[in-house]
Amino acid sequence: MLRENGFGSGPTSGGKTNGAPVNGDPPIRIGVYVCHCGTNIARTVDVERVTEKAGELPGVTIARDYKYMCSDPGQELIKEDIEELGLNRIVVASCSPNLHEGTFRGATAAGGLNPFFFQMVNIREHASWVHEDRESATDKAIDLVRAAVRRVHHHKALETRRVPIKPEVLVVGGGIAGISAALTLADGGKHVYLIEREASIGGHMAQFDKTFPTLDCAACILTPKMTQVRNHPNITLMTMTEVVKVDGFVGSYEVTVKHRPRFIDVSLCVGCQQCIDACVYKRGKFEDEFDAGLSMRKPIYLPNAQAVPQVVLIDPEQCIQFSSGKCKQTCVEACDRDAIFFDQEERIETLDVGAIIMATGFQTFDARRSPHYGYGIYPNVYTALEVERLVNASGPTGGEIVLRDGEKPTAVGIVHCVGSRNQKSNPWCSKVCCMYSLKLAHLIKEKTDAEVYNFYIDMRTPGKGFEEFYQRVASEGTHLIRGKVASVYQQADGDGELLVDVEDTLAGMVRRIPVDMLVLAVGLEPRYDAEEVRRTFNITCSGDGWFMERHPKLAPVDTFTDGVYLAGCCQGPKDIPETVAQAGAAAGQALALIGRGYMELEPNTAQVIAEDCSGCKTCIPLCPYQAILHDDAENRAEINEVLCKGCGVCVAACPSGSIVQNLFEDTEIYEEIEGVLAYA
Amino acid sequence: MRPNIRTEADRSPEFARWITSLPGAEKIRECMHCGLCSASCPLFAYMDYSPRQLMHLGREGFRDDVLGSFTIWLCTSCYQCTVECPRQIPVTEIMYALKRRAIEEKVYTPHLPIPVLAREFRRMVTDRGRISESWLVMKLLLKTGVHRMFGMVGLGWDLVRTGRFSLRKETIRDRGDLARMLEAVGSDAEAVS
Amino acid sequence: MKKLAYYPGCSLSGTGRAYDESLRAVFAALGEPLEELDDWNCCGATSYMSIDKGKAYALASRNLALAEREDADLLTPCNACYLVLEKTRRHLAESAEMGGRVRHALDAVGLGYAGVVRARHPLEVLTQDIGVERLKEAVKEPLKGLKIAPYYGCQIVRPYATFDDQYHPQTMDQLLKATGAKVVEYPFKTRCCGASQTGTLPEVGLHLVYRLLNEAKARGADVLAVICSLCHFNLDVYQSKVRREYDLEPIPILYFSQILGLALGVPAKKLGIDRCVVSATPVLERRAAHAA
């Protein structure tokens, strides 16, 4: 449908040809384009009425509606109208500017106009998606369009700013996601800072034994990657390091990191472990984190056998030297490289990078939060991560699956969905548990010949080779019982034997099954400090606490903060292949950004009107970016346009109104308000 | 025994609407059949339909199967299912509503003592404001078969012996107020179909 | 501490007399004698709720309104009364429709309810308001050597865990330990006793009772401590029937308040110890002899 003012002679022609010229410039000729977005908008908003009303507005030369404005023909419409009808302002009423502002500015520019003679109206997220009543949703859309039309009258031609992009990249987190991203970037010739909070890289994957569905050994495929990281000339690896502050913006981030003291000089230690043997503790006394607490270590220890870097560390909470100051320091004596320094201190460092990849991973659900399974009370109840260590040849039992009393289990239950798919804990499906539970079932059966029962709600095995693996485990005689275990009870006289009650929903009866080992397939959840990390990096989390991608389909590794990308489980549960693929994508995005060499920034900066400024300095301490200086000679404020982020604080604060901001000039804002309030 | 086949004619869409409109019960639609309610139910072993199956029959609208089920009368309101349900379905409260509707529509096994107990209980509370246990039990026995009384003799003697068998008719002072109050609260609309 | 109006509930004047007697004695011994709520009525229990929801809520709310008039909370020893009163309080706050109906009904008899009254269980009051330390100091006859299985039953921690852990409640354990007795590990702490099914469907109810008793025996308990008169009735009065069906040694059932009373030096007679069908006297005498 077409509404023309001045050109057509239809009933909707307003007669009034053009809007009032601004400052003696040529008359304003606006084109308004209302998008159906398929049925996304058109179902709830009467787009034809919006178009009709827009056509009657002063200054509007043409108003059209179209099924998909973002499509090629949609953009072509804008371009052609500019050329043929002499338009000099464009308004598109469609979706969020986050999605397509760039698209339509491009179309505006393609028609030969300055791209800032464009204004976007969001009638999808702000109208059709959030309202049910068609009548009022349409009225609202009309109001929003009117506001934009009045605003765009006052738009000015602006130039985008270009700033160079620093070619270094920061990767936060040294699990398989961070390792993969770092190697891709480094192989692409970019310098990478890979920082890891723990003493070794490797993350959760390093703790696993076999990986599903192919059952290849996790260490065999991961360890070479870890070594590559260590040896790569383009990677600076920093373990025991955390980010404390992020300043700057895309292309030019300034990241403050904190190195926790290891009490060992990383450049001197060769991992000979003489110090550990020499420690005054004759045997391990503290729970080994890497073995999920199933073995004991000393206060001075190597994080794990494959650790990268192969460097020991001292836990100051446990070491006698720190608590009493009176240890014999046998470790120092034993170290022939003099690498131990009890006086090492925390160190702060600043890194300059152009892009950041977040690969901070996940934590497993704390099984104590589901108390009816008796984890932490009954010794024979294990988490899946503990069993991963038991199965692992380099684990606390050398790969033998034995109970805490050293006996081999004869009946093992595996409870799926622990902490997952539950409104009281985590409502989401953790995605990997069905497959890792089947893997554990296979490994346990292979190593112990025990009866294995998998208690599942729905068996979720979508993935390459996954369904075939499920079939294989079923064929091995694993009992697959569809039902969630309701209670676990340890008999008074049994030797730790557990009775589990579960409804076998397929048989329609409750079964009471004795097992001597119960494995809880704990789900994945955001790390405890995800919220804090999110704030530090100024990215967003979805309601469930995972870091949020910019678009669930089309920008799955971007965030709403330019130049910050996501890889791996910090964005949501995923398995190793998906994690590696996403890490590659994040690295690719970072490479694309850096490859461009410069960033185009919104020209939304503020300027001081020199003759009006009284030099009162009100604005200077308020600027969050230290972009305002005081020119002592002239006694006035001066804004550094490169540093200005366009937040508008100084504009609002200036007592004499002598600071103005591009794209947000007073007239533009007032006209927009007037427009939205001018409903009939 | 009812044959194990149902046609769409056996479904009552009204019943499905009613059950899912009970407070919180719209969540029945989200049931993923994990069976936690059944496996945690202390009375499960004696039920014809498991609580899980009952919730499903309800959301599908199989009124006769649900209201005729023994399951609803076995529920002791221990709330284990309600606490465990990962989808937060208020199973116990739904069981109450099903009992109310079954009583209202008189769909239950005639000699089942549970609804009889409920009715006698209500009568006594409405009349006197308090329950006198001994009288309540005797009424229950009279209504559901005097033969049961013989089995209770030993038990009754135990209570007499320990001074726990009271024939006093407990009552409150403001019985008139109580009656007026129960009158003023009106009747439930939920069971009206 | 907000004033407490004692709400014994119907069964404490009949089969549960010993609970009433021992509670009064314990609170008096601790210097906080109980005052009964004037003209309280039946809470409605599960039975009334099975027939008419509106009347059931009205019935329960009359007690809340009476307590509100006295500016008191309700000290509610029976699990079923506790749950019904707590459920009513919450439902009236959440449901405008039911709240309106019930307030209208209360208004008809000159009562009002603003929603500030809570039901409080003696376990909560004793652990939180009076405190385990004060109880410990008041103990005159430590019960050294007595092994107790603590049984909380349902409805006190479900569905609302208001003052104790839902899966592993501890308040009674703390009180019993303060008497010097040994509390045994009892995994069936919160399992259902069968409620009125022991009477209506004996074959169903008795099995549940059997499991609870058998487990207490298996864990080496001398007595089973309860906090609800219906639990007590099922476990004590039906025990002889259970023992006819199943192989089981007798085990006496005591209210937790009777045990506290013994430790506080209240004479057994005043605590209704002799009201148990399964006599607790042999166990208690054996312990006393052993300790001496």
Side-chain angles (χ1 to χ4, degrees):
Chain A
M1 186 180 287
L2 184 66
R3 309 276 172 213
E4 286 188 19
N5 275 356
F7 285 81
S9 55
T12 56
S13 290
K16 306 181 295 285
T17 48
N18 302 315
V22 178
N23 301 334
D25 289 338
I28 302 289
R29 300 176 62 81
I30 305 172
V32 178
Y33 301 85
V34 183
C35 181
H36 297 211
C37 195
T39 55
N40 272 303
I41 293 171
R43 190 189 304 122
T44 321
V45 168
D46 181 346
V47 285
E48 293 185 6
R49 194 152 74 83
V50 176
T51 312
E52 186 183 318
K53 288 284 175 194
E56 295 166 8
L57 293 170
V60 174
T61 304
I62 189 160
R64 298 178 191 269
D65 61 275
Y66 191 73
K67 197 140 185 104
Y68 290 106
M69 276 311 295
C70 59
S71 65
D72 272 357
Q75 296 183 52
E76 201 59 31
L77 268 182
I78 298 176
K79 208 176 117 189
E80 281 169 12
D81 283 355
I82 294 172
E83 286 161 4
E84 288 167 18
L85 306 178
L87 302 179
N88 51 20
R89 298 286 191 280
I90 301 296
V91 170
V92 177
S94 56
C95 51
S96 162
N98 254 325
L99 205 58
H100 279 308
E101 190 173 53
T103 310
F104 298 125
R105 275 185 184 167
T108 308
L113 289 180
N114 181 287
F116 295 94
F117 284 133
F118 164 79
Q119 176 68 14
M120 189 154 182
V121 188
N122 185 355
I123 58 167
R124 195 177 70 176
E125 282 86 337
H126 290 174
S128 71
W129 276 1
V130 290
H131 296 295
E132 283 173 1
D133 183 64
R134 190 172 166 84
E135 190 71 18
S136 28
T138 304
D139 287 345
K140 182 173 177 182
I142 292 169
D143 290 341
L144 293 172
V145 168
R146 190 190 307 108
V149 166
R150 288 188 64 160
R151 180 191 220 276
V152 83
H153 270 84
H154 303 274
H155 276 203
K156 288 178 181 151
L158 297 168
E159 294 304 324
T160 51
R161 298 174 290 151
R162 283 186 172 192
V163 292
I165 290 174
K166 291 176 186 154
E168 294 84 6
V169 182
L170 173 72
V171 176
V172 188
I176 183 59
I179 290 172
S180 304
L183 287 173
T184 305
L185 288 161
D187 287 346
K190 304 300 170 206
H191 191 85
V192 179
Y193 298 102
L194 175 60
I195 67 165
E196 165 60 48
R197 173 151 63 188
E198 304 297 330
S200 167
I201 56 169
H204 281 102
M205 186 178 169
Q207 290 176 284
F208 303 158
D209 178 41
K210 301 277 190 335
T211 54
F212 62 75
T214 44
L215 298 178
D216 34 5
C217 152
C220 311
I221 55 179
L222 178 64
T223 315
K225 295 255 174 203
M226 290 163 63
T227 318
Q228 270 181 54
V229 166
R230 177 74 176 141
N231 297 331
H232 207 297
N234 283 342
I235 298 179
T236 305
L237 173 62
M238 300 169 170
T239 50
M240 300 189 73
T241 299
E242 287 172 61
V243 172
V244 289
K245 196 159 139 247
V246 178
D247 290 317
F249 49 89
V250 52
S252 181
Y253 284 111
E254 211 172 85
V255 182
T256 312
V257 298
K258 181 175 83 184
H259 305 289
R260 273 163 36 231
R262 187 175 191 117
F263 307 108
I264 308 291
D265 190 318
V266 181
S267 60
L268 294 174
C269 175
V270 289
C272 72
Q273 306 186 41
Q274 298 275 349
C275 53
I276 303 176
D277 293 340
C279 177
V280 293
Y281 281 102
K282 285 300 152 233
R283 60 178 70 83
K285 191 169 180 272
F286 306 99
E287 285 190 0
D288 186 293
E289 296 85 350
F290 190 76
D291 274 343
L294 293 177
S295 69
M296 294 295 174
R297 58 158 179 77
K298 297 179 181 179
I300 185 163
Y301 64 105
L302 194 65
N304 63 73
Q306 281 84 34
V308 167
Q310 273 283 313
V311 173
V312 300
L313 71 152
I314 297 173
D315 187 328
E317 303 282 307
Q318 298 161 347
C319 171
I320 295 175
Q321 178 60 28
F322 288 89
S323 54
S324 71
K326 287 183 198 146
C327 184
K328 283 188 281 181
Q329 302 191 10
T330 41
C331 55
V332 178
E333 278 169 40
C335 180
D336 50 18
R337 297 188 51 94
D338 297 329
I340 301 175
F341 295 90
F342 289 114
D343 56 355
Q344 232 179 39
E345 279 179 12
E346 188 177 287
R347 204 160 50 78
I348 301 287
E349 186 180 354
T350 308
L351 308 172
D352 289 322
V353 296
I356 299 172
I357 292 177
M358 304 295 294
T360 52
F362 65 95
Q363 66 186 28
T364 53
F365 176 78
D366 178 1
R368 287 180 188 82
R369 285 170 61 202
S370 288
H372 48 297
Y373 294 128
Y375 179 75
I377 299 171
Y378 303 138
N380 291 347
V381 180
Y382 292 82
T383 67
L385 200 56
E386 288 169 339
V387 178
E388 289 283 355
R389 295 309 300 153
L390 282 184
V391 184
N392 198 303
S394 65
T397 56
E400 266 203 84
I401 301 177
V402 289
L403 299 167
R404 285 181 221 268
D405 61 5
E407 292 288 314
K408 257 194 182 175
T410 56
V412 180
I414 302 176
V415 185
H416 292 221
C417 301
V418 174
S420 309
R421 304 187 74 193
N422 191 330
Q423 295 302 121
K424 288 178 295 175
S425 40
N426 297 327
W428 56 83
C429 165
S430 292
K431 202 173 181 181
V432 295
C433 323
C434 278
M435 281 303 290
Y436 84 56
S437 296
L438 290 172
K439 175 193 76 180
L440 289 177
H442 167 83
L443 294 174
I444 291 169
K445 207 149 182 72
E446 187 180 64
K447 293 198 173 190
T448 66
D449 205 30
E451 291 291 315
V452 179
Y453 302 86
N454 276 57
F455 304 108
Y456 67 98
I457 307 176
D458 293 301
M459 192 65 85
R460 294 181 169 171
T461 58
K464 195 172 175 182
F466 290 13
E467 184 65 20
E468 293 84 339
F469 186 75
Y470 173 23
Q471 196 179 343
R472 170 177 171 188
V473 173
S475 76
E476 290 168 353
T478 300
H479 302 272
L480 297 166
I481 296 176
R482 196 199 167 287
K484 180 114 173 165
V485 171
S487 66
V488 179
Y489 156 76
Q490 180 170 296
Q491 279 169 300
D493 39 4
D495 340 313
E497 190 182 65
L498 303 163
L499 280 183
V500 301
D501 278 8
V502 61
E503 183 183 10
D504 185 331
T505 59
L506 299 179
M509 59 169 80
V510 169
R511 292 173 64 174
R512 183 162 293 158
I513 298 171
V515 296
D516 41 22
M517 180 185 220
L518 192 68
V519 185
L520 305 180
V522 284
L524 274 48
E525 60 184 20
R527 280 195 179 269
Y528 66 93
D529 60 350
E531 177 62 24
E532 207 185 310
V533 173
R534 167 193 94 68
R535 270 182 226 278
T536 306
F537 288 89
N538 191 28
I539 57 177
T540 45
C541 282
S542 44
D544 44 22
W546 301 105
F547 294 158
M548 197 148 114
E549 65 283 355
R550 192 180 190 112
H551 190 280
K553 286 114 192 166
L554 300 180
V557 300
D558 298 62
T559 65
F560 285 101
T561 302
D562 291 331
V564 180
Y565 306 101
L566 303 175
C569 288
C570 61
Q571 181 258 345
K574 42 184 78 64
D575 60 20
I576 295 167
E578 278 183 310
T579 296
V580 172
Q582 206 190 16
Q589 292 290 72
L591 285 172
L593 175 79
I594 295 167
R596 209 188 304 161
Y598 62 87
M599 271 305 296
E600 288 216 338
L601 296 187
E602 277 286 280
N604 59 353
T605 49
Q607 297 110 35
V608 179
I609 304 168
E611 54 273 31
D612 294 350
C613 177
S614 69
C616 74
K617 301 183 190 173
T618 306
C619 53
I620 293 173
L622 293 176
C623 176
Y625 308 99
Q626 284 87 47
I628 314 180
L629 290 173
H630 186 254
D631 182 338
D632 291 333
E634 302 282 334
N635 187 31
R636 58 181 164 85
E638 205 166 83
I639 295 172
N640 179 341
E641 239 190 300
V642 180
L643 294 176
C644 174
K645 289 276 282 174
C647 71
V649 167
C650 56
V651 182
C654 179
S656 59
S658 54
I659 307 182
V660 291
Q661 189 185 355
N662 290 339
L663 292 173
F664 294 96
E665 289 193 12
D666 286 356
T667 39
E668 292 170 348
I669 294 172
Y670 289 141
E671 280 298 308
E672 194 168 12
I673 295 171
E674 293 279 345
V676 90
L677 294 178
Y679 49 83
Chain B
M1 197 180 138
R2 266 188 89 178
N4 234 345
I5 185 168
R6 302 282 183 280
T7 66
E8 285 303 278
D10 295 316
R11 293 203 313 120
S12 156
E14 178 279 325
F15 187 76
R17 269 198 305 279
W18 170 79
I19 197 166
T20 49
S21 69
L22 296 167
E26 71 282 354
K27 296 210 176 75
I28 302 180
R29 298 198 190 105
E30 296 166 24
C31 173
M32 56 183 171
H33 291 267
C34 70
L36 266 176
C37 48
S38 312
S40 63
C41 179
L43 278 308
F44 173 85
Y46 306 94
M47 292 175 168
D48 45 4
Y49 290 118
S50 75
R52 171 184 64 83
Q53 289 169 322
L54 203 72
M55 295 300 115
H56 183 70
L57 289 166
R59 77 176 174 188
E60 290 299 302
F62 289 107
R63 174 190 169 280
D64 297 351
D65 292 276
V66 172
L67 294 184
S69 166
F70 197 46
T71 299
I72 56 181
W73 302 112
L74 280 170
C75 173
T76 61
S77 317
C78 83
Y79 286 91
Q80 191 86 51
C81 48
T82 301
V83 165
E84 299 298 345
C85 178
R87 296 286 206 231
Q88 298 185 314
I89 300 168
V91 184
T92 310
E93 298 301 327
I94 294 170
M95 291 291 183
Y96 271 127
L98 291 172
K99 286 181 211 176
R100 286 194 290 270
R101 181 145 175 180
I103 287 174
E104 181 115 338
E105 300 192 9
K106 301 196 165 40
V107 200
Y108 51 81
T109 329
H111 294 294
L112 203 60
I114 300 151
V116 180
L117 173 68
R119 269 188 284 122
E120 290 305 321
F121 187 99
R122 174 176 63 166
R123 188 165 301 152
M124 192 178 283
V125 174
T126 312
D127 288 351
R128 298 185 162 269
R130 286 186 195 170
I131 290 296
S132 310
E133 292 168 310
S134 313
W135 289 103
L136 182 68
V137 170
M138 283 192 280
K139 281 200 170 155
L140 177 69
L141 291 175
L142 282 173
K143 299 256 162 135
T144 57
V146 182
H147 62 280
R148 286 164 158 265
M149 212 170 282
F150 296 105
M152 305 296 275
V153 171
L155 196 146
W157 168 241
D158 278 341
L159 290 175
V160 173
R161 180 170 64 81
T162 54
R164 292 156 73 179
F165 188 84
S166 164
L167 283 177
R168 226 178 70 150
K169 290 194 170 171
E170 300 288 337
T171 180
I172 62 166
R173 192 179 57 238
D174 295 333
R175 284 165 69 174
D177 273 7
L178 186 73
R180 271 202 304 286
M181 192 187 75
L182 292 177
E183 178 67 33
V185 79
S187 61
D188 294 344
E190 67 174 26
V192 180
S193 42
Chain C
M1 173 170 148
K2 190 174 169 185
K3 189 179 146 191
L4 288 171
Y6 176 47
Y7 177 84
C10 302
S11 62
L12 267 69
S13 51
T15 56
R17 279 176 74 176
Y19 198 7
D20 178 73
E21 291 161 344
S22 56
L23 269 178
R24 287 180 193 270
V26 164
F27 276 86
L30 291 168
E32 307 274 355
L34 297 179
E35 281 176 55
E36 192 167 325
L37 179 71
D38 180 47
D39 207 38
W40 57 268
N41 59 265
C42 171
C43 70
T46 53
S47 294
Y48 217 112
M49 192 51 80
S50 308
I51 298 179
D52 189 318
K53 196 162 74 163
K55 288 186 170 47
Y57 280 125
L59 204 57
S61 66
R62 179 170 175 272
N63 298 306
L64 298 174
L66 291 175
E68 196 166 276
R69 201 162 60 181
E70 294 183 20
D71 197 19
D73 279 336
L74 287 169
L75 182 76
T76 314
C78 166
N79 285 21
C81 299
Y82 178 85
L83 174 66
V84 168
L85 294 174
E86 179 65 13
K87 186 163 114 179
T88 303
R89 180 181 74 83
R90 286 172 189 245
H91 192 68
L92 297 188
E94 283 160 12
S95 162
E97 190 260 345
M98 188 57 78
R101 277 175 68 189
V102 165
R103 284 195 178 81
H104 168 73
L106 289 171
D107 190 50
V109 293
L111 286 171
Y113 173 60
V116 294
V117 177
R118 279 198 302 149
R120 305 197 63 204
H121 194 272
L123 287 182
E124 180 190 10
V125 173
L126 286 167
T127 49
Q128 290 181 6
D129 300 22
I130 290 174
V132 176
E133 282 312 307
R134 210 170 124 194
L135 177 71
K136 251 185 206 162
E137 283 163 22
V139 167
K140 295 203 177 83
E141 316 247 343
L143 300 177
K144 287 260 175 311
L146 188 66
K147 282 183 279 182
I148 310 174
Y151 176 60
Y152 294 74
C154 59
Q155 298 204 339
I156 200 71
V157 286
R158 285 195 301 268
Y160 319 113
T162 44
F163 64 88
D164 210 336
D165 186 86
Q166 198 147 39
Y167 291 95
H168 304 289
Q170 290 300 324
T171 47
M172 177 165 36
D173 295 45
Q174 289 165 11
L175 296 172
L176 295 175
K177 279 179 196 157
T179 67
K182 181 176 162 49
V183 176
V184 304
E185 173 61 29
Y186 187 59
F188 289 176
K189 268 181 176 181
T190 67
R191 291 218 180 171
C192 174
C193 72
S196 54
Q197 303 292 27
T198 39
T200 46
L201 295 166
E203 66 280 17
V204 176
L206 293 183
H207 181 70
L208 296 177
V209 174
Y210 163 70
R211 282 198 80 191
L212 293 176
L213 295 171
N214 187 48
E215 185 68 20
K217 274 282 168 198
R219 302 282 165 174
D222 302 320
V223 296
L224 192 66
V226 298
I227 61 169
C228 166
S229 45
L230 186 54
C231 299
H232 189 277
F233 192 90
N234 282 337
L235 295 169
D236 178 46
V237 181
Y238 278 103
Q239 198 174 124
S240 54
K241 270 180 173 275
V242 170
R243 291 180 52 218
R244 242 172 276 148
E245 307 268 332
Y246 303 94
D247 179 30
L248 183 79
E249 288 292 304
I251 178 167
I253 315 298
L254 289 174
Y255 291 103
F256 83 100
S257 46
Q258 292 179 299
I259 298 171
L260 298 191
L262 288 171
L264 293 173
V266 181
K269 188 84 190 156
K270 283 184 76 177
L271 295 168
I273 300 286
D274 55 358
R275 294 196 193 280
C276 295
V277 170
V278 180
S279 176
T281 316
V283 167
L284 295 174
E285 281 176 353
R286 211 179 317 130
R287 186 214 66 84
H290 207 267

